[in-house]
Amino acid sequence: DAGVTQSPTHLIKTRGQQVTLRCSPKSGHDTVSWYQQALGQGPQFIFQYYEEEERQRGNFPDRFSGHQFPNYSSELNVNALLLGDSALYLCASSPPRTGTYYGYTFGSGTRLTVV
Amino acid sequence: RKEVEQDPGPFNVPEGATVAFNCTYSNSASQSFFWYRQDCRKEPKLLMSVYSSGNEDGRFTAQLNRASQYISLLIRDSKLSDSATYLCVVSTTSGTYKYIFGTGTRLKVLA
């Protein structure tokens, strides 16, 4: 049973460029959340997608955008990259809501370095 | 003030020791609570959910104090393999369950 898969695993980009990160949720999960984790910090919520729509958004600028496809997979796009965007980007999926006590399942992340 | 606060540590303890971590949260409407474990340069993994009645899983015990808005994790008989960062996670359910993470507490168990 495949868990959450993310691609690519590592990426190096130049300031000002654009990047797209991809996530396939765990089988049976329909909600995808994206997090940014800077070194030494906890993951910070970027946004969450459900039924192909952005359902909730954290405190991130519009340079961060996303998409969810009918098969529940998702993309995170970041435009006009800044050095401060260097981080581990984590995708987490969760199952249809049957309660509030389900933890997310995380992918292994994409490590983005902006130079 | 951060929504979820943890002492970043590091906590350096000898094998076999008992260690406790605390976490405070600011939103009294928070409804779900978790401890996640994160190994260096890896993704966070769910360690345990935290219930109002407290819960135990082997050497790990989690407690929730809603009145004081804090969560604790107790690790007994520490193993070298327990060395990791422990993330406190809080969720406020309002149509979605968005998880708010603390900064994490680093634990190093020494031989």
Side-chain angles (χ1 to χ4, degrees):
Chain A
D1 176 28
V4 179
T5 58
Q6 291 187 246
S7 63
T9 54
H10 294 84
L11 204 52
I12 299 174
K13 288 286 191 177
T14 304
R15 270 182 303 175
Q17 285 189 313
Q18 180 264 343
V19 68
T20 297
L21 310 182
R22 295 177 175 82
C23 171
S24 292
K26 184 176 179 178
S27 177
H29 287 191
D30 63 356
T31 301
V32 172
S33 303
W34 286 92
Y35 284 80
Q36 180 196 65
Q37 187 175 23
L39 201 60
Q41 300 296 315
Q44 298 293 311
F45 178 76
I46 303 175
F47 41 52
Q48 183 178 89
Y49 277 84
Y50 172 71
E51 292 187 340
E52 301 179 52
E53 290 193 359
E54 182 183 290
R55 187 158 67 171
Q56 196 164 359
R57 187 178 183 92
N59 192 22
F60 279 80
D62 292 344
R63 299 186 296 110
F64 290 77
S65 63
H67 190 78
Q68 185 179 36
F69 300 94
N71 66 354
Y72 308 121
S73 67
S74 178
E75 290 182 349
L76 163 66
N77 301 292
V78 187
N79 294 324
L81 284 166
L82 304 173
L83 295 179
D85 294 332
S86 297
L88 179 68
Y89 288 84
L90 294 160
C91 170
S93 71
S94 44
R97 287 194 63 211
T98 57
T100 62
Y101 293 101
Y102 287 99
Y104 286 167
T105 300
F106 279 90
S108 54
T110 294
R111 191 164 298 279
L112 173 65
T113 302
V114 182
V115 297
Chain B
R1 183 185 172 190
K2 289 185 179 179
E3 290 185 75
V4 180
E5 295 205 60
Q6 294 181 252
D7 180 344
F11 284 57
N12 295 323
V13 303
E15 264 188 298
T18 295
V19 61
F21 307 136
N22 290 326
C23 163
T24 58
Y25 61 95
S26 60
N27 189 340
S28 59
S30 300
Q31 296 185 1
S32 302
F33 309 90
F34 308 91
W35 284 101
Y36 272 75
R37 171 195 169 126
Q38 187 172 28
D39 293 294
C40 189
R41 302 182 75 83
K42 300 279 190 181
E43 74 275 23
K45 291 187 176 174
L46 179 65
L47 179 65
M48 58 197 306
S49 301
V50 188
Y51 304 120
S52 297
S53 53
N55 46 303
E56 189 173 307
D57 183 2
R59 298 181 293 108
F60 299 85
T61 300
Q63 297 275 355
L64 167 64
N65 185 320
R66 287 187 182 271
S68 302
Q69 293 181 207
Y70 83 77
I71 307 149
S72 64
L73 177 67
L74 183 78
I75 305 175
R76 290 181 299 278
D77 189 22
S78 299
K79 311 290 185 192
L80 294 175
S81 57
D82 294 334
S83 297
T85 295
Y86 291 84
L87 295 158
C88 174
V89 182
V90 170
S91 171
T92 302
T93 320
S94 54
T96 69
Y97 36 104
K98 178 182 88 173
Y99 294 122
I100 309 297
F101 286 78
T103 305
T105 299
R106 270 202 304 142
L107 170 67
K108 188 166 186 179
V109 180
L110 307 170

